[in-house]
Amino acid sequence: MLRKIRILLWALVAVAIAGGGAYYSLGRQLPTPSLAIGGPFRLAASTGDVVDSEKLKGRPFAVFFGFTHCPEVCPTTLHEMSSALGKLGDDGKDLNVLFITVDPERDTIEFMKSYLTSFDPRIVGLRPTPEELPQVAKAYRAFYEKVPMSDGDYTMNHTALVYLMDRQGTFFGTLDYEEKPEVRLTKLRRLLKEGQSRSR
Amino acid sequence: MKLIKELTVAVALTCAAFITSLAQAHDYKAGPLTIEHPWTPQPPVGAKVAAGFLKITNGGAQDDRLVAVASDIAGKTQVHGMKVEKGIMTMFELEGGLVIPAGGTVELKSRSNHVMFMDLKSRPEKGATFKATLTFEKAGSVAVDFKVEAMGGDMDHEGM
Ligand SMILES: [Cu+2]
């Protein structure tokens, strides 16, 4: 009897461990489709045109949020994307790279256009209106907030990830701010190569 | 004869090394504090802000604080903290300044604490320097030159 209870107890332990492991790995998975990252947008661009996410379909794109009053993270990300585009060379010709400002108040189209001349010309700046901004940020689960400073000025806190979207406009992965350039390049090459499943 | 030749070469090399290290040294002293290599990644065209980086070592027995930075290139300059956590970048003013602990070294660096030059009056030229004054609570003020380096700065050495 005692032995049976013991076996039962151990079996319970095994189930608990297996269950916990499954739960843990599920919890670590990327968001399920219902929580999908990405969504349609139509935004004014630094090129003077409008960028429509529908028209981006057929080519993968990388998109990130930032602002020009950003001392380091945003210029560094733009710089790193420029370097990556340079390294990809012709292999990267299909890739669209978009920089969406979370500070439309200060970042006008003209200002973004001149600011972006410091980077690879393939990077396009997008300026949502203050009304459009919450929608596009929500679609990408991107966080942003305006932070007042003691002198009356303000700064922005924001998500610093680069979102990689495949040819259908489906979330493919992210580039992380802390990653090494080689890792970023590998991910971009994968996006260009594999990001065309179910391609039309 | 051969020995003299060798000696001459050795002396010349030593001198060259010494001169090079002098040229590269970019240090300042303020009381017990040593300030190493203030630099800034060149900001993009039209940018209104720039980050300043440097290393401060406190050889003294008392904590000190970097309480203010001023430069003519900027309308105003502050000392900021910065964090990137869970993919989110946050930046904040360091109230009361940045503590430089006794016997410790604090690095203002990429993705971390930085000097924030705001309302830039012009775009700093790559390769140029600009003047700034660092003010410490105990060690007082010290004039330094910030070197303007390529964007991406130290990270470019990883082979970008
Ligand atoms: Cu700052």
Side-chain angles (χ1 to χ4, degrees):
Chain A
M1 183 58 191
L2 206 68
R3 194 161 156 254
K4 267 190 186 155
I5 291 174
R6 212 147 146 219
I7 289 169
L8 188 71
L9 274 176
W10 278 112
L12 276 174
V13 169
V15 167
I17 290 172
Y23 179 78
Y24 179 72
S25 61
L26 270 179
R28 283 176 56 89
Q29 268 172 16
L30 289 169
T32 48
S34 62
L35 297 165
I37 289 175
F41 57 80
R42 246 188 127 257
L43 301 170
S46 56
T47 49
D49 303 331
V50 166
V51 168
D52 184 336
S53 55
E54 271 306 305
K55 301 233 168 79
L56 294 175
K57 284 188 178 168
R59 289 164 149 221
F61 67 96
V63 60
F64 52 101
F65 293 83
F67 67 121
T68 70
H69 279 67
C70 177
E72 203 220 335
V73 173
C74 313
T76 303
T77 303
L78 287 161
H79 173 76
E80 287 169 348
M81 287 308 294
S82 300
S83 303
L85 283 169
K87 289 220 163 165
L88 287 170
D90 232 27
D91 294 349
K93 68 178 193 306
D94 265 3
L95 184 69
N96 282 301
V97 181
L98 308 170
F99 170 65
I100 303 181
T101 181
V102 292
D103 187 13
E105 220 176 291
R106 293 186 293 202
D107 291 340
T108 61
I109 287 289
E110 300 75 58
F111 188 79
M112 289 181 86
K113 185 181 175 182
S114 116
Y115 186 86
L116 288 170
T117 60
S118 308
F119 303 98
D120 191 288
R122 284 168 283 183
I123 301 176
V124 173
L126 299 181
R127 180 190 176 271
T129 62
E131 293 72 38
E132 290 165 332
L133 177 58
Q135 296 164 31
V136 65
K138 192 173 170 222
Y140 281 88
R141 320 215 153 255
F143 170 84
Y144 68 96
E145 68 175 346
K146 195 168 167 175
V147 185
M149 302 214 279
S150 58
D151 57 5
D153 223 334
Y154 68 90
T155 182
M156 307 293 299
N157 292 336
H158 63 90
T159 296
L161 295 171
V162 177
Y163 301 90
L164 304 181
M165 310 301 286
D166 71 11
R167 284 166 209 262
Q168 286 74 49
T170 308
F171 178 68
F172 186 81
T174 59
L175 301 183
D176 205 293
Y177 187 61
E178 306 285 338
E179 273 165 2
K180 290 247 188 291
E182 308 82 71
V183 177
R184 275 193 290 270
L185 205 59
T186 307
K187 286 185 176 178
L188 286 171
R189 286 195 195 283
R190 260 190 56 212
L191 172 68
L192 283 156
K193 204 167 147 236
E194 297 167 25
Q196 53 188 351
S197 52
R198 309 186 307 276
S199 153
R200 33 196 194 165
Chain B
M1 206 45 205
K2 199 174 164 231
L3 183 71
I4 290 172
K5 224 180 208 169
E6 262 180 43
L7 267 176
T8 316
V9 171
V11 167
L13 282 176
T14 311
C15 286
F18 183 66
I19 289 163
T20 311
S21 71
L22 267 187
Q24 278 174 352
H26 177 207
D27 297 355
Y28 303 90
K29 279 278 191 187
L33 305 180
T34 308
I35 294 127
E36 285 173 73
H37 190 47
W39 70 282
T40 189
Q42 189 189 30
V45 173
K48 293 282 184 286
V49 301
F53 303 125
L54 62 151
K55 196 164 149 184
I56 307 165
T57 302
N58 185 352
Q62 278 186 307
D63 292 357
D64 205 339
R65 278 165 194 274
L66 174 62
V67 287
V69 183
S71 173
D72 286 345
I73 69 150
K76 60 185 173 186
T77 306
Q78 294 177 347
V79 185
H80 282 177
M82 190 214 278
K83 278 190 300 204
V84 184
E85 271 174 3
K86 292 182 181 158
I88 296 170
M89 186 279 289
T90 53
M91 184 165 78
F92 41 91
E93 293 171 71
L94 290 175
E95 283 175 40
L98 177 65
V99 178
I100 319 294
T105 297
V106 172
E107 207 171 345
L108 289 89
K109 61 182 180 189
S110 173
R111 303 163 190 203
S112 177
N113 300 326
H114 56 271
V115 175
M116 179 94 162
F117 299 104
M118 289 174 284
D119 298 340
L120 285 188
K121 292 173 185 163
S122 61
R123 187 186 190 206
E125 285 296 323
K126 195 157 77 184
T129 61
F130 62 84
K131 299 205 175 301
T133 306
L134 312 178
T135 302
F136 295 92
E137 192 179 57
K138 298 200 178 84
S141 291
V142 56
V144 302
D145 285 331
F146 275 81
K147 286 191 178 170
V148 184
E149 299 184 3
M151 210 184 290
D154 49 355
M155 275 168 302
D156 273 0
H157 302 311
E158 289 171 24
M160 287 287 281

